[in-house]
Amino acid sequence: MSTLIIKDLHVSVTTEEGSKEILKGVDLTINSGETHAIMGPNGSGKSTLAYSIAGHPKYTITSGTVTLDGVDVLAMTVDERAKAGLFLAMQYPVEVPGVSVSNFLRTAVTAIRGEAPKVRTWVGEVKTAMSELSMDPAFADRNVNEGFSGGEKKRHEILQMELLKPKIAILDETDSGLDVDALRIVSEGVNRVKSNQDLGIMLITHYTRILRYIKPDFVHVFAGGRIVEEGGPELADKLEENGYAEYLPA
């Protein structure tokens, strides 16, 4: 059992006008095996929460704490956070020209596990994971995200998640840019990893369509840099019907 605890988190960014506070006191606890949907309008701070936890240098933590199994996450470097068991699936995965998917995955897994996986078992592990995500084996020889479609990028993110075996996964708008078939395949991948690895998930999204496939245990409404309402799956149904108008300034 692992637990990510966020307490009274305040985060700012530097703009031309000076420092601007984005997160204004976020409290959230995610345990192994739980799926937490973070929903809210554009500009509410959802992605800022994700990237702040991951350690993006653009964001400055001004107060509050983030711990994973009692250990201070904010004191860790970005790679130390990954090794500790945090995983971020980005909304817009970056291209890495000249680095093949297979080399990228093997290097990442070696860094996480502390030793290189045995070639025979590793090849089988990758092939099985790719097959379950309906990925062509030739995909492994392509450069990371270079020329990938939206669906290919997101499948690659879930492939990484399955092989790296994190404790807590943060999925930042994983449904963005996916057609119906890709959404189903990616969602099934998330559900499989969660079930097999007892993964805790923070799922950030604007829309409820992905929640038809990935059923949340908890739904949190984000607005104005903080969580303004919490509930179960029924809260997502309310948002589908009424939108976010009641949470926005008049």
Side-chain angles (χ1 to χ4, degrees):
M1 171 69 74
S2 290
T3 303
L4 178 72
I5 300 177
I6 304 164
K7 286 188 177 180
D8 195 28
L9 188 66
H10 291 251
V11 175
S12 297
V13 296
T14 301
T15 68
E16 293 181 355
E17 292 75 31
S19 180
K20 179 181 179 182
E21 188 175 44
I22 305 297
L23 300 186
K24 304 175 182 179
V26 176
D27 294 288
L28 181 63
T29 298
I30 301 175
N31 295 303
S32 296
E34 296 177 350
T35 298
H36 293 250
I38 309 294
M39 305 185 69
N42 284 323
S44 60
K46 304 185 303 298
S47 291
T48 296
L49 176 63
Y51 286 93
S52 298
I53 295 170
H56 195 297
K58 173 182 175 181
Y59 302 101
T60 301
I61 311 295
T62 55
S63 65
T65 61
V66 180
T67 60
L68 178 61
D69 297 334
V71 180
D72 184 5
V73 169
L74 303 181
M76 301 177 187
T77 60
V78 173
D79 63 313
E80 287 172 342
R81 298 180 197 206
K83 290 176 182 177
L86 289 176
F87 177 86
L88 172 64
M90 295 180 284
Q91 182 180 359
Y92 303 110
V94 298
E95 296 182 1
V96 188
V99 178
S100 70
V101 168
S102 59
N103 285 339
F104 173 79
L105 292 172
R106 185 172 171 81
T107 300
V109 167
T110 298
I112 294 296
R113 298 181 185 177
E115 62 179 7
K118 291 181 173 59
V119 174
R120 181 182 298 177
T121 56
W122 170 248
V123 171
E125 193 176 350
V126 173
K127 283 185 176 179
T128 298
M130 291 180 67
S131 174
E132 290 178 332
L133 286 165
S134 300
M135 298 170 71
D136 188 325
F139 185 90
D141 297 323
R142 297 172 62 183
N143 290 340
V144 174
N145 292 324
E146 196 171 39
F148 287 14
S149 68
E152 288 174 332
K153 288 180 179 179
K154 298 305 173 70
R155 291 186 204 194
H156 182 221
E157 294 283 283
I158 304 309
L159 176 63
Q160 294 173 51
M161 184 176 74
E162 183 155 10
L163 295 173
L164 293 173
K165 296 179 170 53
K167 297 175 181 177
I168 303 291
I170 303 168
L171 310 181
D172 186 20
E173 300 197 29
T174 295
D175 51 341
S176 176
L178 297 183
D179 61 27
V180 173
D181 290 331
L183 176 63
R184 176 183 54 78
I185 291 169
V186 166
S187 298
E188 288 174 351
V190 172
N191 289 332
R192 182 176 62 255
V193 176
K194 177 189 174 184
S195 176
N196 292 343
Q197 302 177 17
D198 200 27
L199 183 67
I201 296 174
M202 179 194 297
L203 176 63
I204 296 171
T205 183
H206 292 295
Y207 310 109
T208 59
R209 66 174 192 152
I210 194 171
L211 302 184
R212 299 169 192 160
Y213 300 95
I214 303 174
K215 302 297 184 183
D217 300 294
F218 307 93
V219 175
H220 311 267
V221 182
F222 226 81
R226 56 171 59 94
I227 294 172
V228 295
E229 187 172 353
E230 299 177 299
E234 71 283 349
L235 180 52
D237 296 332
K238 173 188 171 183
L239 295 173
E240 174 75 8
E241 183 175 346
N242 301 327
Y244 299 109
E246 68 178 278
Y247 305 106
L248 299 176

